[in-house]
Amino acid sequence: AIPQQARVVIIGGGVIGCSVAYHLTKLGWSDVLLLERKELTCGTTWHAAGLVGQLRGTRNMTMLAQYTSGLFAGLEEETGQATGFKQNGSISVAPDEERFEELKRGASMSKCFGLEVEVISPREARELHPYLNIDDLCGAVFLPKDGQTNPIDTTRALAQGAKMRGACILENVKVEGVQKHQGRVTGVLTDKGEVKAEYVVNCAGLWGRQVGQMAGVNVPLHASEHFYIVTEEIGMPANLPVLRDPSGWFYMKEDAGKLLMGCFEPKGKPRPLSTIPEDFSFGQFPEDWGHFEPAMMNAIHRVPKLEEVG
Protein backbone atom coordinates (compact mmCIF):
# COMPACT_ATOMS: atom_id res chain seq x y z
CA ALA A 1 0.00 0.00 0.00
CA ILE A 2 1.15 3.50 -0.77
CA PRO A 3 1.93 5.57 2.37
CA GLN A 4 -0.37 8.52 3.02
CA GLN A 5 2.50 10.71 4.16
CA ALA A 6 6.28 11.07 3.83
CA ARG A 7 8.81 13.71 4.74
CA VAL A 8 10.13 13.69 1.18
CA VAL A 9 8.74 12.22 -2.03
CA ILE A 10 11.18 11.57 -4.89
CA ILE A 11 9.62 11.33 -8.35
CA GLY A 12 11.61 9.02 -10.65
CA GLY A 13 13.44 5.74 -10.15
CA GLY A 14 16.46 6.24 -12.37
CA VAL A 15 20.03 6.54 -11.14
CA ILE A 16 19.50 10.15 -9.99
CA GLY A 17 16.32 9.44 -8.01
CA CYS A 18 17.86 6.39 -6.34
CA SER A 19 21.02 8.36 -5.57
CA VAL A 20 18.95 11.11 -3.91
CA ALA A 21 17.16 8.47 -1.81
CA TYR A 22 20.48 6.84 -0.91
CA HIS A 23 22.12 10.08 0.16
CA LEU A 24 19.11 11.40 2.10
CA THR A 25 18.98 8.18 4.12
CA LYS A 26 22.72 8.39 4.66
CA LEU A 27 22.12 11.84 6.17
CA GLY A 28 19.58 10.27 8.55
CA TRP A 29 16.30 10.92 6.68
CA SER A 30 14.45 7.64 7.08
CA ASP A 31 10.99 8.88 6.02
CA VAL A 32 11.83 8.87 2.29
CA LEU A 33 9.41 7.68 -0.40
CA LEU A 34 10.54 7.14 -4.01
CA LEU A 35 7.84 6.68 -6.66
CA GLU A 36 8.59 5.18 -10.09
CA ARG A 37 5.84 5.14 -12.74
CA LYS A 38 7.04 1.81 -14.25
CA GLU A 39 10.21 -0.02 -13.14
CA LEU A 40 13.50 1.26 -11.77
CA THR A 41 15.90 2.38 -14.56
CA CYS A 42 13.29 1.96 -17.33
CA GLY A 43 13.54 5.53 -18.68
CA THR A 44 17.01 6.49 -19.88
CA THR A 45 19.19 5.01 -17.11
CA TRP A 46 19.04 1.43 -18.42
CA HIS A 47 21.01 2.20 -21.56
CA ALA A 48 23.28 4.95 -20.26
CA ALA A 49 26.95 4.63 -21.19
CA GLY A 50 27.99 4.23 -17.55
CA LEU A 51 31.17 6.29 -17.95
CA VAL A 52 32.65 7.51 -14.66
CA GLY A 53 35.03 10.37 -15.49
CA GLN A 54 36.69 12.50 -12.82
CA LEU A 55 37.84 15.69 -14.54
CA ARG A 56 35.22 18.45 -14.77
CA GLY A 57 35.28 22.14 -15.65
CA THR A 58 35.41 23.43 -12.06
CA ARG A 59 37.02 22.39 -8.79
CA ASN A 60 33.70 21.63 -7.06
CA MET A 61 32.40 19.52 -9.94
CA THR A 62 35.70 17.64 -10.08
CA MET A 63 35.53 16.98 -6.32
CA LEU A 64 31.96 15.69 -6.79
CA ALA A 65 33.11 13.37 -9.60
CA GLN A 66 35.98 12.10 -7.41
CA TYR A 67 33.48 11.41 -4.63
CA THR A 68 31.33 9.44 -7.10
CA SER A 69 34.24 7.19 -8.02
CA GLY A 70 34.90 6.47 -4.36
CA LEU A 71 31.20 5.80 -3.75
CA PHE A 72 30.91 3.34 -6.63
CA ALA A 73 34.09 1.56 -5.56
CA GLY A 74 32.57 0.67 -2.18
CA LEU A 75 28.88 0.30 -3.06
CA GLU A 76 28.93 -3.44 -3.74
CA GLU A 77 30.59 -4.23 -0.41
CA GLU A 78 28.09 -1.99 1.42
CA THR A 79 24.90 -3.26 -0.21
CA GLY A 80 25.71 -6.76 -1.53
CA GLN A 81 24.56 -5.66 -5.00
CA ALA A 82 27.18 -5.89 -7.77
CA THR A 83 27.69 -2.67 -9.75
CA GLY A 84 30.13 -3.67 -12.51
CA PHE A 85 32.37 -0.74 -11.52
CA LYS A 86 35.97 -0.92 -12.75
CA GLN A 87 38.71 1.65 -13.16
CA ASN A 88 40.51 0.99 -16.44
CA GLY A 89 41.29 4.66 -17.00
CA SER A 90 40.40 6.82 -19.98
CA ILE A 91 42.31 8.24 -22.94
CA SER A 92 41.31 11.49 -24.65
CA VAL A 93 43.00 11.99 -28.03
CA ALA A 94 43.82 15.13 -30.02
CA PRO A 95 44.16 15.16 -33.84
CA ASP A 96 45.35 18.79 -33.94
CA GLU A 97 47.44 21.19 -31.84
CA GLU A 98 44.42 23.24 -30.74
CA ARG A 99 42.68 20.22 -29.25
CA PHE A 100 45.94 19.03 -27.70
CA GLU A 101 46.39 22.45 -26.08
CA GLU A 102 42.89 22.15 -24.59
CA LEU A 103 43.61 18.64 -23.26
CA LYS A 104 46.93 19.76 -21.74
CA ARG A 105 45.22 22.66 -19.96
CA GLY A 106 42.69 20.19 -18.56
CA ALA A 107 45.57 17.97 -17.42
CA SER A 108 47.21 20.91 -15.63
CA MET A 109 43.93 21.69 -13.87
CA SER A 110 43.60 18.00 -12.92
CA LYS A 111 46.95 18.08 -11.13
CA CYS A 112 45.79 21.13 -9.14
CA PHE A 113 42.77 19.08 -8.03
CA GLY A 114 44.94 16.12 -7.03
CA LEU A 115 43.90 13.85 -9.92
CA GLU A 116 46.31 11.38 -11.44
CA VAL A 117 46.85 12.44 -15.06
CA GLU A 118 49.48 11.86 -17.74
CA VAL A 119 50.08 13.74 -20.99
CA ILE A 120 51.18 11.00 -23.37
CA SER A 121 52.42 10.61 -26.94
CA PRO A 122 50.38 8.96 -29.72
CA ARG A 123 52.62 5.90 -29.48
CA GLU A 124 52.00 5.61 -25.73
CA ALA A 125 48.25 5.97 -26.36
CA ARG A 126 48.36 3.00 -28.74
CA GLU A 127 50.24 0.92 -26.17
CA LEU A 128 47.30 1.50 -23.81
CA HIS A 129 44.65 1.06 -26.54
CA PRO A 130 46.09 -1.27 -29.22
CA TYR A 131 43.18 -0.71 -31.66
CA LEU A 132 43.87 3.01 -31.98
CA ASN A 133 44.82 4.65 -35.28
CA ILE A 134 47.45 7.24 -34.31
CA ASP A 135 48.52 8.38 -37.80
CA ASP A 136 47.05 11.88 -37.40
CA LEU A 137 47.28 12.33 -33.62
CA CYS A 138 49.29 15.08 -31.93
CA GLY A 139 49.00 13.62 -28.46
CA ALA A 140 46.65 12.38 -25.76
CA VAL A 141 45.83 12.57 -22.07
CA PHE A 142 45.43 9.51 -19.83
CA LEU A 143 43.48 9.52 -16.54
CA PRO A 144 44.28 6.18 -14.83
CA LYS A 145 41.45 6.36 -12.23
CA ASP A 146 38.58 7.04 -14.67
CA GLY A 147 36.17 4.16 -14.82
CA GLN A 148 32.93 2.64 -16.04
CA THR A 149 29.97 0.99 -14.34
CA ASN A 150 26.80 -0.91 -15.17
CA PRO A 151 23.99 1.68 -14.86
CA ILE A 152 21.18 -0.77 -13.97
CA ASP A 153 23.21 -2.62 -11.34
CA THR A 154 24.56 0.63 -9.88
CA THR A 155 21.03 2.05 -9.59
CA ARG A 156 19.81 -1.11 -7.87
CA ALA A 157 22.74 -0.89 -5.43
CA LEU A 158 21.83 2.72 -4.57
CA ALA A 159 18.19 1.68 -4.12
CA GLN A 160 19.25 -1.23 -1.89
CA GLY A 161 21.40 1.09 0.22
CA ALA A 162 18.45 3.48 0.64
CA LYS A 163 16.05 0.67 1.61
CA MET A 164 18.56 -0.71 4.13
CA ARG A 165 18.29 2.64 5.94
CA GLY A 166 14.51 2.86 5.86
CA ALA A 167 13.49 4.34 2.50
CA CYS A 168 10.35 3.09 0.77
CA ILE A 169 10.69 2.52 -2.98
CA LEU A 170 7.53 1.79 -4.96
CA GLU A 171 7.32 0.86 -8.64
CA ASN A 172 4.27 1.15 -10.92
CA VAL A 173 3.00 4.28 -9.16
CA LYS A 174 2.47 7.24 -11.48
CA VAL A 175 2.55 10.79 -10.10
CA GLU A 176 -0.24 12.75 -11.78
CA GLY A 177 -0.02 16.04 -9.90
CA VAL A 178 1.93 18.09 -7.37
CA GLN A 179 -0.15 19.71 -4.64
CA LYS A 180 0.66 23.15 -3.25
CA HIS A 181 -0.59 25.63 -0.67
CA GLN A 182 0.50 29.30 -0.62
CA GLY A 183 3.36 28.61 -2.98
CA ARG A 184 4.74 25.62 -1.08
CA VAL A 185 4.54 21.94 -1.94
CA THR A 186 2.22 19.91 0.30
CA GLY A 187 2.28 16.54 -1.46
CA VAL A 188 1.65 14.60 -4.65
CA LEU A 189 -1.36 13.04 -6.30
CA THR A 190 -0.77 9.57 -7.78
CA ASP A 191 -2.85 6.99 -9.62
CA LYS A 192 -2.88 5.05 -6.31
CA GLY A 193 -3.93 7.97 -4.08
CA GLU A 194 -2.62 11.10 -2.40
CA VAL A 195 0.64 11.41 -0.45
CA LYS A 196 1.30 14.39 1.80
CA ALA A 197 4.92 15.55 1.90
CA GLU A 198 7.15 18.37 3.16
CA TYR A 199 9.42 18.09 0.14
CA VAL A 200 9.06 16.80 -3.42
CA VAL A 201 12.15 16.12 -5.55
CA ASN A 202 11.86 16.08 -9.33
CA CYS A 203 14.12 13.27 -10.66
CA ALA A 204 11.92 12.45 -13.65
CA GLY A 205 14.68 12.72 -16.26
CA LEU A 206 13.09 12.64 -19.69
CA TRP A 207 9.82 13.80 -18.12
CA GLY A 208 11.47 16.37 -15.82
CA ARG A 209 9.96 19.37 -17.60
CA GLN A 210 6.50 17.81 -17.51
CA VAL A 211 6.75 17.12 -13.76
CA GLY A 212 7.99 20.69 -13.21
CA GLN A 213 4.89 22.03 -14.92
CA MET A 214 2.71 20.08 -12.45
CA ALA A 215 4.19 22.33 -9.76
CA GLY A 216 4.04 25.49 -11.88
CA VAL A 217 7.80 25.48 -12.41
CA ASN A 218 9.37 25.97 -15.84
CA VAL A 219 12.25 23.49 -16.08
CA PRO A 220 14.58 24.42 -19.00
CA LEU A 221 14.99 20.86 -20.23
CA HIS A 222 14.38 19.24 -23.61
CA ALA A 223 15.04 15.64 -24.60
CA SER A 224 17.30 14.75 -27.49
CA GLU A 225 18.06 11.41 -29.06
CA HIS A 226 21.36 9.79 -28.16
CA PHE A 227 22.90 7.41 -30.67
CA TYR A 228 25.14 4.47 -29.96
CA ILE A 229 26.12 1.12 -31.45
CA VAL A 230 27.28 -2.13 -29.86
CA THR A 231 29.41 -4.54 -31.89
CA GLU A 232 29.19 -8.30 -31.90
CA GLU A 233 31.42 -10.12 -29.43
CA ILE A 234 34.99 -9.62 -30.69
CA GLY A 235 37.11 -10.54 -27.68
CA MET A 236 37.85 -7.00 -26.48
CA PRO A 237 40.09 -7.15 -23.40
CA ALA A 238 38.19 -6.35 -20.20
CA ASN A 239 40.87 -3.86 -19.09
CA LEU A 240 40.63 -1.64 -22.20
CA PRO A 241 40.56 2.07 -21.24
CA VAL A 242 37.59 4.24 -22.24
CA LEU A 243 38.42 6.19 -25.41
CA ARG A 244 37.24 9.76 -25.95
CA ASP A 245 37.74 11.63 -29.22
CA PRO A 246 36.08 15.04 -28.70
CA SER A 247 37.05 16.21 -32.19
CA GLY A 248 35.39 13.11 -33.65
CA TRP A 249 32.33 13.57 -31.34
CA PHE A 250 32.42 10.04 -29.93
CA TYR A 251 33.36 7.89 -26.93
CA MET A 252 34.08 4.16 -26.95
CA LYS A 253 34.32 1.50 -24.24
CA GLU A 254 34.66 -2.25 -23.83
CA ASP A 255 31.33 -3.91 -23.01
CA ALA A 256 31.43 -7.64 -22.17
CA GLY A 257 33.94 -8.40 -24.94
CA LYS A 258 32.20 -6.03 -27.38
CA LEU A 259 32.78 -2.39 -28.26
CA LEU A 260 30.18 0.24 -27.44
CA MET A 261 30.48 3.53 -29.32
CA GLY A 262 28.25 6.52 -28.70
CA CYS A 263 28.33 10.06 -30.06
CA PHE A 264 27.69 13.63 -28.96
CA GLU A 265 27.32 15.24 -32.35
CA PRO A 266 27.67 19.05 -32.78
CA LYS A 267 24.01 19.37 -33.73
CA GLY A 268 21.82 17.08 -31.64
CA LYS A 269 18.44 15.71 -32.65
CA PRO A 270 15.68 17.03 -30.38
CA ARG A 271 12.85 14.69 -29.45
CA PRO A 272 9.47 16.27 -28.58
CA LEU A 273 7.86 14.65 -25.57
CA SER A 274 4.60 14.46 -27.51
CA THR A 275 6.16 11.83 -29.81
CA ILE A 276 7.13 9.51 -26.92
CA PRO A 277 4.48 6.90 -26.04
CA GLU A 278 2.81 7.29 -22.65
CA ASP A 279 3.84 3.73 -21.68
CA PHE A 280 7.48 4.18 -22.81
CA SER A 281 9.56 1.74 -20.75
CA PHE A 282 12.93 0.16 -21.58
CA GLY A 283 12.28 1.56 -25.06
CA GLN A 284 14.41 2.76 -27.95
CA PHE A 285 13.73 5.22 -30.74
CA PRO A 286 14.00 4.21 -34.42
CA GLU A 287 17.46 4.11 -36.00
CA ASP A 288 18.66 7.16 -37.95
CA TRP A 289 21.80 6.16 -39.83
CA GLY A 290 21.79 9.38 -41.84
CA HIS A 291 22.20 11.37 -38.64
CA PHE A 292 24.63 8.91 -37.05
CA GLU A 293 26.88 8.25 -40.07
CA PRO A 294 29.32 11.21 -39.73
CA ALA A 295 30.21 10.23 -36.15
CA MET A 296 30.38 6.56 -37.15
CA MET A 297 32.88 7.39 -39.92
CA ASN A 298 34.99 9.35 -37.41
CA ALA A 299 34.98 6.34 -35.08
CA ILE A 300 35.95 3.93 -37.89
CA HIS A 301 38.84 6.24 -38.78
CA ARG A 302 40.06 6.28 -35.18
CA VAL A 303 39.47 2.54 -34.51
CA PRO A 304 39.61 0.79 -37.92
CA LYS A 305 38.56 -2.55 -36.40
CA LEU A 306 35.01 -1.16 -36.25
CA GLU A 307 34.77 -1.49 -40.02
CA GLU A 308 35.41 -5.25 -39.88
CA VAL A 309 32.80 -6.26 -37.30
CA GLY A 310 29.03 -6.60 -37.12
Side-chain angles (χ1 to χ4, degrees), residues 261-302:
M261 186 279 280
C263 67
F264 288 101
E265 60 278 22
K267 189 174 181 181
K269 183 180 178 183
R271 182 80 186 200
L273 207 58
S274 59
T275 66
I276 300 171
E278 180 64 28
D279 60 350
F280 191 78
S281 174
F282 294 107
Q284 291 178 304
F285 300 143
E287 296 175 359
D288 186 345
W289 282 98
H291 184 88
F292 184 65
E293 186 179 17
M296 181 71 179
M297 297 308 294
N298 290 340
I300 287 173
H301 168 74
R302 187 61 57 217

Coordinates of all heavy atoms in Angstrom, one line a residue, residues 261-302:
M261 N 30.1 2.2 -28.9 CA 30.5 3.5 -29.3 C 29.3 4.4 -29.4 O 28.2 4.1 -29.9 CB 31.1 3.5 -30.7 CG 31.7 4.8 -31.2 SD 30.5 5.9 -31.9 CE 30.3 5.3 -33.6
G262 N 29.3 5.6 -28.7 CA 28.2 6.5 -28.7 C 28.8 7.9 -29.1 O 30.0 8.2 -29.0
C263 N 27.9 8.8 -29.6 CA 28.3 10.1 -30.1 C 27.6 11.2 -29.4 O 26.4 11.1 -29.1 CB 28.2 10.1 -31.6 SG 26.6 10.1 -32.2
F264 N 28.3 12.3 -29.3 CA 27.7 13.6 -29.0 C 28.0 14.6 -30.1 O 29.0 15.3 -30.1 CB 28.3 14.1 -27.6 CG 27.8 13.4 -26.5 CD1 28.6 12.4 -25.9 CD2 26.5 13.6 -25.9 CE1 28.1 11.7 -24.8 CE2 26.1 12.9 -24.8 CZ 26.9 11.9 -24.3
E265 N 27.1 14.5 -31.1 CA 27.3 15.2 -32.4 C 27.1 16.7 -32.1 O 26.5 17.2 -31.2 CB 26.4 14.7 -33.4 CG 24.9 14.8 -33.1 CD 24.4 13.7 -32.2 OE1 25.2 13.1 -31.5 OE2 23.1 13.5 -32.2
P266 N 27.8 17.6 -33.0 CA 27.7 19.1 -32.8 C 26.2 19.6 -32.8 O 25.9 20.5 -32.1 CB 28.5 19.6 -33.9 CG 29.3 18.5 -34.4 CD 28.6 17.2 -34.1
K267 N 25.4 19.0 -33.6 CA 24.0 19.4 -33.7 C 23.1 18.2 -33.4 O 22.9 17.2 -34.1 CB 23.7 19.9 -35.1 CG 22.3 20.5 -35.2 CD 22.0 21.1 -36.6 CE 20.7 21.8 -36.7 NZ 20.4 22.4 -38.0
G268 N 22.6 18.2 -32.1 CA 21.8 17.1 -31.6 C 20.5 17.0 -32.3 O 20.1 17.9 -33.1
K269 N 19.8 15.9 -32.0 CA 18.4 15.7 -32.7 C 17.4 15.8 -31.5 O 17.2 14.8 -30.8 CB 18.4 14.4 -33.3 CG 17.1 14.1 -34.1 CD 17.1 12.7 -34.8 CE 15.8 12.4 -35.5 NZ 15.8 11.1 -36.1
P270 N 16.7 16.9 -31.4 CA 15.7 17.0 -30.4 C 14.5 16.1 -30.5 O 14.2 15.7 -31.7 CB 15.2 18.5 -30.5 CG 15.7 19.0 -31.8 CD 16.8 18.1 -32.3
R271 N 14.0 15.6 -29.4 CA 12.9 14.7 -29.4 C 11.7 15.3 -28.6 O 11.7 15.3 -27.4 CB 13.3 13.4 -28.8 CG 12.2 12.3 -28.9 CD 12.1 11.7 -30.2 NE 11.0 10.7 -30.4 CZ 10.9 9.8 -31.3 NH1 11.9 9.6 -32.2 NH2 9.9 9.0 -31.4
P272 N 10.6 15.7 -29.3 CA 9.5 16.3 -28.6 C 8.8 15.2 -27.7 O 8.7 14.1 -28.1 CB 8.5 16.7 -29.7 CG 9.4 16.8 -30.9 CD 10.5 15.8 -30.8
L273 N 8.5 15.6 -26.5 CA 7.9 14.6 -25.6 C 6.6 14.1 -26.1 O 6.2 13.0 -25.8 CB 7.6 15.4 -24.2 CG 7.6 14.5 -23.0 CD1 8.9 13.7 -22.8 CD2 7.3 15.3 -21.7
S274 N 5.9 14.9 -27.0 CA 4.6 14.5 -27.5 C 4.7 13.2 -28.4 O 3.8 12.6 -28.7 CB 3.9 15.6 -28.3 OG 4.8 16.0 -29.3
T275 N 5.9 13.0 -28.9 CA 6.2 11.8 -29.8 C 6.6 10.6 -29.1 O 6.9 9.5 -29.7 CB 7.2 12.2 -30.9 OG1 8.5 12.3 -30.2 CG2 6.9 13.4 -31.6
I276 N 6.7 10.7 -27.7 CA 7.1 9.5 -26.9 C 5.9 8.9 -26.3 O 5.1 9.5 -25.7 CB 8.1 10.0 -25.8 CG1 9.3 10.6 -26.4 CG2 8.5 8.8 -24.9 CD1 10.3 11.3 -25.5
P277 N 5.7 7.6 -26.5 CA 4.5 6.9 -26.0 C 4.3 7.0 -24.5 O 5.3 7.1 -23.8 CB 4.7 5.4 -26.4 CG 5.7 5.5 -27.5 CD 6.6 6.6 -27.3
E278 N 3.1 7.1 -24.1 CA 2.8 7.3 -22.7 C 3.4 6.1 -21.8 O 3.8 6.3 -20.7 CB 1.3 7.4 -22.5 CG 0.8 7.6 -21.0 CD 1.3 8.9 -20.4 OE1 1.5 9.8 -21.1 OE2 1.5 8.9 -19.1
D279 N 3.4 4.9 -22.4 CA 3.8 3.7 -21.7 C 5.3 3.4 -22.0 O 5.8 2.3 -21.8 CB 3.0 2.5 -22.0 CG 3.0 2.2 -23.5 OD1 3.5 3.0 -24.3 OD2 2.5 1.1 -23.9
F280 N 6.1 4.4 -22.5 CA 7.5 4.2 -22.8 C 8.2 3.6 -21.6 O 8.3 4.2 -20.5 CB 8.1 5.5 -23.2 CG 9.5 5.4 -23.8 CD1 9.6 5.0 -25.2 CD2 10.6 5.7 -23.1 CE1 10.9 5.0 -25.7 CE2 11.9 5.7 -23.7 CZ 12.0 5.3 -25.0
S281 N 8.9 2.4 -21.8 CA 9.6 1.7 -20.7 C 10.6 0.8 -21.4 O 10.2 0.0 -22.2 CB 8.6 1.0 -19.9 OG 9.2 0.2 -18.9
F282 N 11.8 0.9 -21.0 CA 12.9 0.2 -21.6 C 12.8 0.2 -23.1 O 13.0 -0.8 -23.8 CB 12.9 -1.3 -21.1 CG 13.2 -1.4 -19.6 CD1 12.2 -1.8 -18.7 CD2 14.5 -1.3 -19.1 CE1 12.4 -1.9 -17.4 CE2 14.7 -1.4 -17.8 CZ 13.7 -1.7 -16.9
G283 N 12.5 1.4 -23.6 CA 12.3 1.6 -25.1 C 13.4 2.2 -25.8 O 14.4 2.8 -25.2
Q284 N 13.4 2.1 -27.1 CA 14.4 2.8 -28.0 C 13.7 3.5 -29.1 O 12.6 3.0 -29.5 CB 15.4 1.7 -28.5 CG 16.3 1.2 -27.5 CD 17.3 0.1 -28.1 OE1 16.8 -0.9 -28.7 NE2 18.6 0.3 -27.9
F285 N 14.3 4.5 -29.6 CA 13.7 5.2 -30.7 C 14.2 4.5 -32.0 O 15.2 3.8 -32.0 CB 14.2 6.7 -30.7 CG 13.8 7.4 -29.5 CD1 14.6 8.4 -28.9 CD2 12.5 7.2 -28.9 CE1 14.2 9.1 -27.8 CE2 12.1 7.9 -27.8 CZ 13.0 8.9 -27.2
P286 N 13.6 4.8 -33.2 CA 14.0 4.2 -34.4 C 15.4 4.6 -34.8 O 15.9 5.7 -34.4 CB 13.0 4.8 -35.4 CG 11.8 5.2 -34.6 CD 12.3 5.6 -33.3
E287 N 16.1 3.8 -35.5 CA 17.5 4.1 -36.0 C 17.4 5.3 -37.0 O 16.4 5.5 -37.7 CB 18.1 2.9 -36.7 CG 18.3 1.7 -35.8 CD 18.8 0.5 -36.6 OE1 18.9 0.6 -37.8 OE2 19.0 -0.6 -35.9
D288 N 18.5 6.0 -37.0 CA 18.7 7.2 -38.0 C 20.1 7.2 -38.4 O 20.9 7.9 -37.9 CB 18.3 8.5 -37.3 CG 18.3 9.7 -38.3 OD1 18.8 9.5 -39.4 OD2 17.7 10.7 -37.9
W289 N 20.4 6.3 -39.4 CA 21.8 6.2 -39.8 C 22.3 7.4 -40.5 O 23.5 7.7 -40.5 CB 21.9 4.9 -40.7 CG 22.0 3.7 -39.9 CD1 21.0 2.8 -39.6 CD2 23.1 3.2 -39.2 NE1 21.4 1.8 -38.8 CE2 22.7 2.0 -38.5 CE3 24.5 3.6 -39.1 CZ2 23.6 1.2 -37.7 CZ3 25.3 2.8 -38.3 CH2 24.9 1.7 -37.6
G290 N 21.4 8.1 -41.2 CA 21.8 9.4 -41.8 C 22.4 10.4 -40.8 O 23.4 11.1 -41.1
H291 N 21.7 10.4 -39.7 CA 22.2 11.4 -38.6 C 23.5 10.8 -38.0 O 24.4 11.6 -37.6 CB 21.1 11.5 -37.6 CG 21.4 12.5 -36.5 ND1 21.2 13.9 -36.6 CD2 22.1 12.4 -35.3 CE1 21.6 14.5 -35.6 NE2 22.1 13.6 -34.7
F292 N 23.5 9.5 -37.8 CA 24.6 8.9 -37.1 C 25.9 8.7 -37.9 O 27.0 8.6 -37.3 CB 24.1 7.6 -36.5 CG 25.1 6.8 -35.6 CD1 25.5 7.3 -34.4 CD2 25.7 5.6 -36.0 CE1 26.4 6.7 -33.6 CE2 26.5 4.9 -35.2 CZ 26.9 5.5 -34.0
E293 N 25.8 8.6 -39.2 CA 26.9 8.2 -40.1 C 28.1 9.1 -39.9 O 29.2 8.5 -39.9 CB 26.4 8.3 -41.5 CG 27.5 7.7 -42.5 CD 27.1 7.7 -43.9 OE1 26.1 8.4 -44.3 OE2 27.7 7.0 -44.7
P294 N 28.1 10.4 -39.8 CA 29.3 11.2 -39.7 C 30.1 10.8 -38.5 O 31.4 10.7 -38.6 CB 28.8 12.7 -39.6 CG 27.5 12.7 -40.3 CD 26.9 11.3 -40.0
A295 N 29.5 10.6 -37.4 CA 30.2 10.2 -36.1 C 30.7 8.8 -36.3 O 31.9 8.5 -35.9 CB 29.3 10.3 -34.9
M296 N 30.0 7.9 -36.9 CA 30.4 6.6 -37.2 C 31.6 6.5 -38.0 O 32.6 5.8 -37.7 CB 29.2 5.8 -37.8 CG 29.6 4.3 -38.1 SD 29.6 3.4 -36.5 CE 30.0 1.7 -37.2
M297 N 31.7 7.3 -39.1 CA 32.9 7.4 -39.9 C 34.1 7.9 -39.1 O 35.2 7.4 -39.3 CB 32.6 8.3 -41.1 CG 31.5 7.8 -42.0 SD 31.7 6.0 -42.6 CE 33.2 6.2 -43.6
N298 N 33.9 8.9 -38.3 CA 35.0 9.3 -37.4 C 35.5 8.2 -36.5 O 36.7 8.1 -36.3 CB 34.5 10.5 -36.5 CG 34.2 11.8 -37.3 OD1 34.7 11.9 -38.4 ND2 33.5 12.7 -36.8
A299 N 34.6 7.4 -36.0 CA 35.0 6.3 -35.1 C 35.7 5.2 -35.8 O 36.7 4.7 -35.3 CB 33.7 5.8 -34.4
I300 N 35.3 4.9 -37.1 CA 36.0 3.9 -37.9 C 37.4 4.4 -38.2 O 38.3 3.6 -38.2 CB 35.1 3.7 -39.2 CG1 33.9 2.8 -38.8 CG2 36.0 2.9 -40.2 CD1 32.9 2.6 -40.0
H301 N 37.5 5.7 -38.5 CA 38.8 6.2 -38.8 C 39.8 6.1 -37.6 O 40.9 5.7 -37.7 CB 38.7 7.7 -39.2 CG 40.1 8.4 -39.2 ND1 41.0 8.2 -40.2 CD2 40.7 9.3 -38.3 CE1 42.1 8.9 -40.0 NE2 41.9 9.6 -38.8
R302 N 39.2 6.3 -36.4 CA 40.1 6.3 -35.2 C 40.3 4.8 -34.7 O 41.4 4.5 -34.2 CB 39.4 7.1 -34.1 CG 40.2 7.3 -32.8 CD 41.5 8.0 -33.0 NE 41.3 9.3 -33.6 CZ 42.1 9.9 -34.5 NH1 43.2 9.2 -34.9 NH2 41.8 11.0 -35.0

